[in-house]
Amino acid sequence: MAPPGDPRRLCRLVQEGRLRALQEELEVAGGYQRPEMAGVFQRPAGDTLLHCAARHGRQDILAYLVEAWKMDIEATNRDYKRPLHEAASMGHRDCVRYLLGRGAVVDSLKKADWTPLMMACTRKNLEVIQDLVAHGANPLLKNKDGWNSFHIASREGDPVILRYLLTVCPDAWKTESKIRRTPLHTAAMHGCFEVVQELLDRCHYEPDCRDSCGVTPFMDAVQCGHVSIAKLLLEKHKACSSAADTLGAQALHQAAVTGQDEAIRFLVCDLGVDVDVRAESTQLTALHYAAKEGQTSTVQTLLSLGADINSKDGRNRSALHLACAGQHVACTRFLLQSGLKDSADLTGTLAQQLTRSVDLLQDFSHRAES
């Protein structure tokens, strides 16, 4: 049986909300009140019992620890999280309000410069966000990656929270991360259709705004398979379907890399994008990209849309070369069965690569069977 004051047992009592049992345990273990007791019951992560109470929404225990044992509400763990970070991140409004009422620092920073408001914006809990803002939380503060609270809320996809943040801080949308990604990029990538609508209606992002890699929100939507958002950006934001990133790759190429067959059909069949269009710097086609990543289904889709199986990139490599180089056995076999005209592709080093790929596959199969 664990001795009185055992940290694991104390944390378990807090998690289970057993206030009376916790009181008895602490009285036996301590027997007197002193501020330094805050450090006695730390877990390996550096959490105090206050962190544990705040994380699990035990407001009565939180109050008991602060008022009876004088535990420090600004105690930090090894990630510099304070109890307010924990309560905000889990959406425990009672704990948030209690800590704020006791004077907790509203814009305290944890590791990577996250504030409690940023943590709250990872949850769809408008009331907690409102409480923090009412106590002076600043939505414009940025973490180490350059994201503010509005940017984080855009990723989570709750338009009600975005409207609120725009109401209390109308310029919150005018933000870019350190790699120049906007909330519109983030919402498009994560498939947050209603948020994208809200951003297009209320904010003023430039059409085809680019991050540091030259990627636009339209490209983000396409490469993640969010066709409805891609259509919305075309209709309401006049996005360009043929825009290229810093490497000269277009949305079609990016969709081939991630294997988004529906998006590829949309680009080629509905928008008329050339299925064999080349990335400017590498001269790779979408078929090359798909083969390089071993996206067999996408290779099949591209060929069904008329992609040239024998086209070569700027280094005279075919899709088969790239599939073999990546040791993508299924993709290599499919390309071989799809009417290649140049059988010389399988000579020399390429043949060795293919043989190695097959050997690896067979070895894996034997191991799986045994």
Side-chain angles (χ1 to χ4, degrees), residues 236-258:
K236 297 191 68 171
H237 211 219
K238 307 305 178 186
C240 176
S241 62
S242 60
D245 65 16
T246 54
L247 296 177
Q250 298 183 18
L252 179 66
H253 304 122
Q254 293 160 350
V257 169
T258 56

mmCIF file of all heavy atoms in Angstrom, residues 236-258:
data_model
loop_
_atom_site.group_PDB
_atom_site.id
_atom_site.type_symbol
_atom_site.label_atom_id
_atom_site.label_comp_id
_atom_site.label_asym_id
_atom_site.label_seq_id
_atom_site.Cartn_x
_atom_site.Cartn_y
_atom_site.Cartn_z
ATOM 1 N N LYS A 236 -15.527 32.565 -54.904
ATOM 2 C CA LYS A 236 -15.639 33.770 -54.087
ATOM 3 C C LYS A 236 -14.338 34.554 -53.964
ATOM 4 O O LYS A 236 -14.362 35.738 -53.617
ATOM 5 C CB LYS A 236 -16.134 33.398 -52.677
ATOM 6 C CG LYS A 236 -17.524 32.796 -52.654
ATOM 7 C CD LYS A 236 -18.070 32.684 -51.250
ATOM 8 C CE LYS A 236 -18.340 34.046 -50.635
ATOM 9 N NZ LYS A 236 -19.065 33.943 -49.349
ATOM 10 N N HIS A 237 -13.210 33.901 -54.222
ATOM 11 C CA HIS A 237 -11.926 34.579 -54.033
ATOM 12 C C HIS A 237 -11.133 34.690 -55.323
ATOM 13 O O HIS A 237 -10.012 35.216 -55.322
ATOM 14 C CB HIS A 237 -11.105 33.838 -52.974
ATOM 15 C CG HIS A 237 -10.208 34.720 -52.192
ATOM 16 N ND1 HIS A 237 -8.933 34.346 -51.805
ATOM 17 C CD2 HIS A 237 -10.381 35.975 -51.712
ATOM 18 C CE1 HIS A 237 -8.378 35.325 -51.121
ATOM 19 N NE2 HIS A 237 -9.231 36.311 -51.042
ATOM 20 N N LYS A 238 -11.717 34.185 -56.400
ATOM 21 C CA LYS A 238 -11.067 34.236 -57.710
ATOM 22 C C LYS A 238 -9.666 33.627 -57.684
ATOM 23 O O LYS A 238 -8.716 34.163 -58.256
ATOM 24 C CB LYS A 238 -10.999 35.679 -58.230
ATOM 25 C CG LYS A 238 -12.330 36.412 -58.237
ATOM 26 C CD LYS A 238 -13.389 35.649 -59.026
ATOM 27 C CE LYS A 238 -14.741 36.366 -58.975
ATOM 28 N NZ LYS A 238 -15.818 35.560 -59.624
ATOM 29 N N ALA A 239 -9.546 32.515 -56.998
ATOM 30 C CA ALA A 239 -8.260 31.827 -56.922
ATOM 31 C C ALA A 239 -7.846 31.330 -58.301
ATOM 32 O O ALA A 239 -8.684 31.042 -59.160
ATOM 33 C CB ALA A 239 -8.353 30.655 -55.945
ATOM 34 N N CYS A 240 -6.545 31.214 -58.496
ATOM 35 C CA CYS A 240 -6.002 30.752 -59.773
ATOM 36 C C CYS A 240 -5.650 29.273 -59.667
ATOM 37 O O CYS A 240 -4.812 28.888 -58.841
ATOM 38 C CB CYS A 240 -4.767 31.570 -60.142
ATOM 39 S SG CYS A 240 -3.946 31.011 -61.657
ATOM 40 N N SER A 241 -6.259 28.459 -60.504
ATOM 41 C CA SER A 241 -6.038 27.009 -60.435
ATOM 42 C C SER A 241 -4.675 26.597 -60.973
ATOM 43 O O SER A 241 -4.220 25.472 -60.728
ATOM 44 C CB SER A 241 -7.138 26.274 -61.203
ATOM 45 O OG SER A 241 -7.114 26.641 -62.580
ATOM 46 N N SER A 242 -4.012 27.489 -61.705
ATOM 47 C CA SER A 242 -2.709 27.143 -62.292
ATOM 48 C C SER A 242 -1.550 27.859 -61.609
ATOM 49 O O SER A 242 -0.425 27.825 -62.108
ATOM 50 C CB SER A 242 -2.708 27.490 -63.791
ATOM 51 O OG SER A 242 -2.936 28.877 -63.981
ATOM 52 N N ALA A 243 -1.806 28.490 -60.466
ATOM 53 C CA ALA A 243 -0.718 29.142 -59.726
ATOM 54 C C ALA A 243 0.325 28.102 -59.341
ATOM 55 O O ALA A 243 0.009 26.936 -59.076
ATOM 56 C CB ALA A 243 -1.268 29.828 -58.483
ATOM 57 N N ALA A 244 1.583 28.526 -59.297
ATOM 58 C CA ALA A 244 2.683 27.603 -58.987
ATOM 59 C C ALA A 244 3.418 28.057 -57.732
ATOM 60 O O ALA A 244 3.499 29.259 -57.441
ATOM 61 C CB ALA A 244 3.651 27.526 -60.163
ATOM 62 N N ASP A 245 3.969 27.105 -56.994
ATOM 63 C CA ASP A 245 4.750 27.438 -55.802
ATOM 64 C C ASP A 245 6.177 27.805 -56.198
ATOM 65 O O ASP A 245 6.492 27.947 -57.387
ATOM 66 C CB ASP A 245 4.703 26.289 -54.795
ATOM 67 C CG ASP A 245 5.364 25.007 -55.298
ATOM 68 O OD1 ASP A 245 6.128 25.060 -56.296
ATOM 69 O OD2 ASP A 245 5.137 23.945 -54.696
ATOM 70 N N THR A 246 7.068 27.939 -55.225
ATOM 71 C CA THR A 246 8.425 28.395 -55.516
ATOM 72 C C THR A 246 9.226 27.381 -56.332
ATOM 73 O O THR A 246 10.243 27.733 -56.926
ATOM 74 C CB THR A 246 9.184 28.700 -54.207
ATOM 75 O OG1 THR A 246 9.135 27.546 -53.356
ATOM 76 C CG2 THR A 246 8.567 29.877 -53.485
ATOM 77 N N LEU A 247 8.783 26.137 -56.357
ATOM 78 C CA LEU A 247 9.437 25.102 -57.170
ATOM 79 C C LEU A 247 8.765 24.925 -58.525
ATOM 80 O O LEU A 247 9.157 24.051 -59.297
ATOM 81 C CB LEU A 247 9.460 23.766 -56.421
ATOM 82 C CG LEU A 247 10.270 23.737 -55.127
ATOM 83 C CD1 LEU A 247 10.149 22.375 -54.455
ATOM 84 C CD2 LEU A 247 11.730 24.067 -55.403
ATOM 85 N N GLY A 248 7.747 25.741 -58.772
ATOM 86 C CA GLY A 248 7.041 25.648 -60.040
ATOM 87 C C GLY A 248 5.965 24.588 -60.075
ATOM 88 O O GLY A 248 5.392 24.305 -61.132
ATOM 89 N N ALA A 249 5.663 23.977 -58.933
ATOM 90 C CA ALA A 249 4.629 22.939 -58.873
ATOM 91 C C ALA A 249 3.255 23.574 -58.707
ATOM 92 O O ALA A 249 3.080 24.521 -57.936
ATOM 93 C CB ALA A 249 4.906 21.991 -57.715
ATOM 94 N N GLN A 250 2.297 23.045 -59.435
ATOM 95 C CA GLN A 250 0.925 23.527 -59.364
ATOM 96 C C GLN A 250 0.082 22.627 -58.462
ATOM 97 O O GLN A 250 0.553 21.601 -57.957
ATOM 98 C CB GLN A 250 0.320 23.583 -60.765
ATOM 99 C CG GLN A 250 1.027 24.522 -61.717
ATOM 100 C CD GLN A 250 0.340 24.601 -63.074
ATOM 101 O OE1 GLN A 250 -0.832 24.231 -63.234
ATOM 102 N NE2 GLN A 250 1.071 25.090 -64.071
ATOM 103 N N ALA A 251 -1.171 23.007 -58.284
ATOM 104 C CA ALA A 251 -2.076 22.234 -57.434
ATOM 105 C C ALA A 251 -2.190 20.788 -57.916
ATOM 106 O O ALA A 251 -2.285 19.863 -57.099
ATOM 107 C CB ALA A 251 -3.449 22.899 -57.399
ATOM 108 N N LEU A 252 -2.179 20.574 -59.223
ATOM 109 C CA LEU A 252 -2.272 19.219 -59.767
ATOM 110 C C LEU A 252 -1.105 18.362 -59.288
ATOM 111 O O LEU A 252 -1.285 17.198 -58.909
ATOM 112 C CB LEU A 252 -2.301 19.267 -61.298
ATOM 113 C CG LEU A 252 -2.376 17.907 -61.999
ATOM 114 C CD1 LEU A 252 -3.717 17.230 -61.707
ATOM 115 C CD2 LEU A 252 -2.169 18.054 -63.501
ATOM 116 N N HIS A 253 0.075 18.926 -59.305
ATOM 117 C CA HIS A 253 1.251 18.174 -58.860
ATOM 118 C C HIS A 253 1.164 17.856 -57.369
ATOM 119 O O HIS A 253 1.492 16.745 -56.939
ATOM 120 C CB HIS A 253 2.518 18.984 -59.143
ATOM 121 C CG HIS A 253 2.675 19.385 -60.574
ATOM 122 N ND1 HIS A 253 2.784 20.689 -60.981
ATOM 123 C CD2 HIS A 253 2.711 18.633 -61.708
ATOM 124 C CE1 HIS A 253 2.916 20.731 -62.297
ATOM 125 N NE2 HIS A 253 2.866 19.497 -62.760
ATOM 126 N N GLN A 254 0.712 18.826 -56.586
ATOM 127 C CA GLN A 254 0.617 18.619 -55.142
ATOM 128 C C GLN A 254 -0.444 17.572 -54.806
ATOM 129 O O GLN A 254 -0.273 16.773 -53.882
ATOM 130 C CB GLN A 254 0.319 19.952 -54.465
ATOM 131 C CG GLN A 254 1.479 20.932 -54.595
ATOM 132 C CD GLN A 254 1.074 22.377 -54.387
ATOM 133 O OE1 GLN A 254 -0.111 22.689 -54.320
ATOM 134 N NE2 GLN A 254 2.049 23.259 -54.289
ATOM 135 N N ALA A 255 -1.540 17.562 -55.568
ATOM 136 C CA ALA A 255 -2.570 16.552 -55.358
ATOM 137 C C ALA A 255 -2.059 15.160 -55.713
ATOM 138 O O ALA A 255 -2.439 14.163 -55.092
ATOM 139 C CB ALA A 255 -3.807 16.880 -56.190
ATOM 140 N N ALA A 256 -1.171 15.081 -56.703
ATOM 141 C CA ALA A 256 -0.585 13.793 -57.075
ATOM 142 C C ALA A 256 0.326 13.270 -55.968
ATOM 143 O O ALA A 256 0.351 12.067 -55.678
ATOM 144 C CB ALA A 256 0.189 13.932 -58.382
ATOM 145 N N VAL A 257 1.066 14.156 -55.327
ATOM 146 C CA VAL A 257 1.953 13.761 -54.236
ATOM 147 C C VAL A 257 1.172 13.141 -53.080
ATOM 148 O O VAL A 257 1.563 12.131 -52.506
ATOM 149 C CB VAL A 257 2.770 14.977 -53.731
ATOM 150 C CG1 VAL A 257 3.497 14.639 -52.432
ATOM 151 C CG2 VAL A 257 3.762 15.420 -54.795
ATOM 152 N N THR A 258 0.030 13.757 -52.750
ATOM 153 C CA THR A 258 -0.767 13.294 -51.604
ATOM 154 C C THR A 258 -1.839 12.281 -51.992
ATOM 155 O O THR A 258 -2.587 11.821 -51.136
ATOM 156 C CB THR A 258 -1.418 14.489 -50.894
ATOM 157 O OG1 THR A 258 -2.202 15.249 -51.839
ATOM 158 C CG2 THR A 258 -0.364 15.397 -50.271
#
